[in-house]
Structure formats: C-alpha cells, structure tokens
C-alpha cells in the first residue's frame, strides 16, 4: 500500500481512493438493494469472524476488558448490522406524502430515499471500532460509498480496520484512510457528499468549517460536559451504583458519561457513602487486578492528573494513578464548586466531581453553559423530572440511569448545539446518509385546469391559488381558547 513517510495514507492515495469511490457511486451499483444487503452481511461476518482480534486490539490500544469490548463495541455493532439488514427494504421504500387530493388522486408525489453519495466517516478513539463501524453500516444501508478514517490514537484498531475492510467488503466502494490532525487537513480539503464525524467539539468546528467550503452536509457527534442530577427524591443507592458504573466503564472516557454530579444537600452524605461502596465494589480487590480500561495516552493522563492535583475540591478516593501503565482509578472529588478548573472543560476520564446543590439551582448552572450531549436525572418525583426536562436542552436524557437513552433502538442518538447536530442509530442512521428526494407528477390533461399559473397573470385567478380561505378558527381567540391533546409521560 502506498503510504506516506508517517505511515499514514499518502495524499496521493487518498485522492486515488476517493476517485474510485466516486466512480463506483456513479456506476449506481451501491444503490441496488441486493448489493447493500450483501455488503451488510459481509460487514456482519467481518465482525463475527474477528471478535477475538477486535477485542485484542481494543485491549492493546485502550486496555478494555474483553467483556466490555464485546458488550460495547462488538455485540452492539453486530446488533446494529442485523437491524439494518432486516429493515433495509422498509427504510429504503418510497414514501407517499400526505399530499392532498391533487397529488394523490389526480397526479402523484413520492419521496425517494436516495444515497447522498461518497461519505467520509471520521472516528474517535474511545470506541475506536464501533464508532466507525456503526456509521459505515448506516452508509452501506443507505447506498453510499464510504471512506473510513479511524482514530490514529488507537493504531492497532485502525490497522485492523484497514486490513479487514478489503477482506470482506468491496474495496471499490468502501475503503480506509489513516492519519492524524495533519493528514486530516488534506483529507478534508477534498469534496465529499457527506461527512459523518464523531469526536470533540473543538475538532467538530474544524470539520464544519471544512465542510462549509464544499457545502457538504455533516453529522457531528460531539462531546461536552454531561451532568447528572441526584435529587432529594432519588433512590440514592441505585444512583450511586449507576453513576459509579458509568465512570468505571471505559475509564470514564465516554461522551455520555457523567461529567459531574449535582447532588441535593439533604442526601449528599448518604450518596457519597454509597458511591464509595460501589466504586470499591467495581474496582474489586487490588490482588485481582483492575478490569478498568486505561487512559488512551500520556497527554490525556497528564491532563487528568493535573485536574486532580489542581482541584480545590476534596479528593475522597482514587489517585493520580500510574503514568507508565496509563491507569487512573475512579477518583471521587467532593465539595467541588462551580469555579473549580475541573469544570472548565469535558473531563473525559475517571474523575467524578460532586457538587452539593439542589436540582433547580443545578438547572440554572446547566443552562448557563453549552447544551450537553446527555443529562442523567435521578429522581422519583414527576414534578422534579418535568422541571429539569422543561428547563434544559440536551442531546438526550436518561432517567434513574446513566447513558440509557443511547441504547433505545431507532430513537436517534445525537447532540444539540455544541454537542452536535444530526443523529443516528437504526433508521435514523439510514436517514443520516440519505437524501429524501421528492418526485412529483401531474398528468398533461390537467394543463388547462392549472393554466392560472401562466403569464399574463389575471387577478381573477386569485381564488384558485388562495389556500387560506377555509381556516377553521375564529378571529380574536386567546391562549385559553387553544385545545391541545397529549401531555407528558409519567416518569416515576
Ligand atoms: P477528536 O476530536 O480529537 O478526534 C476525532 C477524530 O478527528 C480523529 O479521527 C482525529 O484523527 C480527527 N482529528 C483530530 N484533530 C483534527 C483536526 N484538527 N482536523 C480534523 N480532524 C481531526 O476526538 P477524540 O479525542 O478522538 O474523541 C473524544 C471526543 O469525542 C470527546 O469529546 C467525546 O465526547 C467525543 N465523542 C462523542 C461521541 C458521540 O457520539 N457524540 C462519541 C464518542 C466520542
């Protein structure tokens, strides 16, 4: 393979691969539903045949326990592919819009689900396999061709993806390129028909700027500081257990994990006590060895240890860990105040700041910052949950759990504002790579009936085009006159 001195894909090869992808897309073969199904099945076998190699690569790059690797990166991808295979025909079928008499009885209107074209898929390092494979699955299902750029910070996984893709998939339609920030500036200078990016908010801004030059549509799956609120009416033990678990998984290097906890003062001591118990339980006895993933590299280890060293809060358990082994245990930092540097940016590691604060004040703090990707709420009081939901904006929300909403099939997963734009998972992923193309037709014999549109214009035809004549409501209605059905769901 022609590569640059850095070992990454050379600009020349990136160009050549892109040209191939464009030609393949132009040939139309990837639009054939049988092709899509075939390639999705091949993608399934790619994962199924190589589970051990994938888990080994994840262990090598980021120290993921075999179960965690299987649970969060292998099983989830296999499930997603199977979901796409079984629903492909339904998702890809033309839709008939509710278009009124003229377009349903006289003429016709359909929405065709057409692939956007050549997609660039850029992945992060925290789920280095799943977060390129899931978008790739959606791209194949939608009929796109795709160039996959895994994170350079997990080189074993990146190299495995680069090796496996051509063994299972048609290389002329789906390919891998490698590189870091420097190589990305060239990769992004080229024109794609879609960019699907998962990564940090600052890099997301670079992606959006590069995409804007070509007016390329993007999905940006970004990060942020997802807070968890534990109110006085929470199941304190369960909250502590699930928050501790969310920090243990992938060593807290998850976009929707708890960044910091707002806990009501009335339950603060009990919550912290239970958190310590669950944290110790999850870490197990030192002689059994930790099942926790490692920090991805020295730079991030230093960043996290600096946070621990410089906090004005009270470190009640955990430590700065071992730089050589790239480990940091879950480190609970109590009595944190909002001006602590610890809260300046996304932690993305196993540090857990606790802020003693009632839920309404917590909501005020959340709304002062950018919209988070996730908010977790622990409460069994509907009015509290409704208050938090009604006064905040976030990509998703989990109630009495952490990260649960990301697992809801076909519900869409994504951020809002600073935490991203667009969504995927299941049908939403298919739609992310799809253009809904409206195709309308009217029979020629209706030409005389529609002749009002032809110049010279005649105001006598005003009635024929005035759709606002039968409004069904009266002038002078008030807010109280409005009748709205539905309502919110009972949570507790
Ligand atoms: P990152 O933004 O540093 O890197 C992501 C990708 O962008 C990598 O492939 C990298 O090579 C590339 N990249 C890096 N610098 C670039 C530049 N200047 N120009 C163009 N491309 C560049 O993110 P990361 O550190 O790999 O991942 C962690 C971040 O991703 C966290 O903020 C986390 O919250 C977020 N994340 C979000 C989701 C989600 O689904 N919303 C999932 C996982 C991670």
């Amino acid at each position: 393979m022609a590569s640059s001195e850095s070992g990454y894909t050379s600009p020349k090869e990136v160009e050549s691969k892109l040209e191939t992808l464009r030609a393949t897309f132009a040939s139309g073969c990837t639009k054939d539903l049988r092709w899509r199904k075939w390639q999705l099945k091949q993608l399934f076998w790619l994962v199924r045949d190589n589970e051990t190699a994938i888990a080994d690569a994840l262990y090598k790059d980021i120290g993921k326990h075999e179960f965690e690797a299987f649970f969060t990166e292998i099983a989830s991808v296999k499930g997603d592919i199977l979901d796409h295979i079984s629903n492909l025909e339904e998702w890809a079928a033309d839709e008939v819009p509710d278009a009124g008499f003229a377009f349903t009885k006289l003429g016709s209107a359909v929405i065709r689900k057409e692939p956007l074209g050549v997609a660039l898929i850029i992945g992060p390092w925290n789920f280095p396999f799943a977060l390129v494979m899931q978008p790739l699955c959606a791209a194949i299902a939608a009929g796109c061709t795709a160039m996959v750029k895994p994170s350079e910070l997990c080189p074993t996984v990146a190299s495995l993806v680069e090796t496996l893709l051509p063994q299972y998939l048609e290389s002329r339609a789906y390919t891998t390129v490698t590189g870091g920030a420097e190589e990305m500036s060239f990769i992004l200078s080229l024109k794609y028909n879609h960019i699907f990016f998962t990564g940090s908010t600052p890099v997301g801004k670079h992606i959006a700027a590069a995409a804007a030059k070509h007016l390329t549509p993007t999905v940006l799956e970004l990060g942020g500081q997802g807070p968890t609120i534990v109110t006085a009416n929470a199941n304190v033990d369960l909250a502590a257990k699930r928050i501790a678990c969310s920090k243990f998984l992938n060593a807290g290097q998850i976009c929707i994990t708890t960044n910091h906890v707002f806990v009501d003062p009335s339950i603060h001591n009990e919550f912290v006590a239970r958190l310590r118990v669950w944290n110790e339980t999850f870490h197990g006895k030192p002689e059994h060895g930790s099942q926790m993933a490692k920090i991805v590299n020295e730079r991030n280890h230093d960043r996290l240890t600096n946070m621990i060293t410089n906090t004005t809060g009270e470190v009640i358990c955990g430590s700065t860990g071992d730089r050589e082994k790239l480990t940091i245990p879950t480190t609970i930092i109590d009595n944190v105040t909002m001006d602590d540097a610890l809260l300046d940016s996304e932690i993305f590691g196993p540090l857990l700041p606790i802020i003693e604060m009632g839920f309404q004040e917590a909501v005020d703090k959340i709304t002062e910052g950018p919209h988070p990707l996730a908010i977790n709420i622990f409460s069994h009081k509907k009015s509290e949950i409704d208050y938090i939901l009604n006064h905040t904006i976030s990509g998703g929300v989990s109630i009495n759990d952490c990260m649960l909403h990301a697992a809801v099939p076909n519900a869409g997963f994504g951020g809002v504002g600073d935490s991203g734009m667009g969504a995927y998972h299941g049908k939403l992923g298919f739609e992310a790579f799809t253009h809904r193309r409206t195709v309308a037709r009217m029979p020629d014999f209706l030409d005389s009936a529609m002749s009002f549109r032809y110049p010279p214009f005649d105001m006598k035809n005003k009635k024929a085009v005035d759709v606002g004549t039968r409004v069904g409501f009266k002038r002078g209605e008030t807010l109280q006159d409005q009748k709205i059905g539905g309502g919110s769901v009972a949570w507790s």
Side-chain angles (χ1 to χ4, degrees), residues 123-126 149 152 184 198-200 203 221-223 255 346 413:
W125 55 261
N126 65 330
K149 210 298 285 177
E152 75 285 9
M184 279 308 294
T198 310
S200 62
V203 175
E221 296 281 345
L222 309 179
C255 55
E346 183 181 13
F413 172 78

Side-chain angles (χ1 to χ4, degrees), residues 122-127 131 149-153 179-181 184 188 197-201 203 206-207 221-224 254-255 346 348 373 413 419 424:
I122 307 160
W125 55 261
N126 65 330
F127 291 94
L131 294 185
K149 210 298 285 177
S151 171
E152 75 285 9
L153 300 191
M184 279 308 294
L188 285 170
F197 171 78
T198 310
S200 62
T201 300
V203 175
H206 287 297
I207 306 292
E221 296 281 345
L222 309 179
I254 304 182
C255 55
E346 183 181 13
F348 217 61
L373 182 61
F413 172 78
S419 56
Y424 75 134

Side-chain angles (χ1 to χ4, degrees), residues 261-325:
V261 185
F262 293 108
V263 60
D264 191 87
S266 65
I267 51 155
H268 168 262
N269 291 351
E270 185 192 353
F271 172 73
V272 171
R274 295 311 300 162
L275 200 56
R276 293 179 79 139
V277 169
W278 284 116
N279 188 40
E280 274 168 34
T281 309
F282 295 150
H283 275 278
K285 296 200 168 68
E287 62 268 29
H288 297 149
S290 177
Q291 296 186 336
M292 196 183 206
K294 62 183 185 183
I295 307 305
V296 69
N297 56 21
E298 277 102 2
R299 187 172 57 79
N300 274 285
H301 198 278
D302 292 345
R303 182 180 64 78
L304 292 163
T305 51
N306 279 339
M307 282 179 162
I308 298 172
T309 312
N310 295 329
T311 179
T312 52
E314 186 190 344
V315 177
I316 59 169
C317 72
S319 68
T320 51
D322 183 329
R323 190 177 191 268
E324 212 168 295
K325 292 186 181 147

Side-chain angles (χ1 to χ4, degrees), residues 90-102:
E90 189 191 320
W91 296 345
D94 289 350
E95 248 176 64
V96 178
D98 182 8
F101 180 78

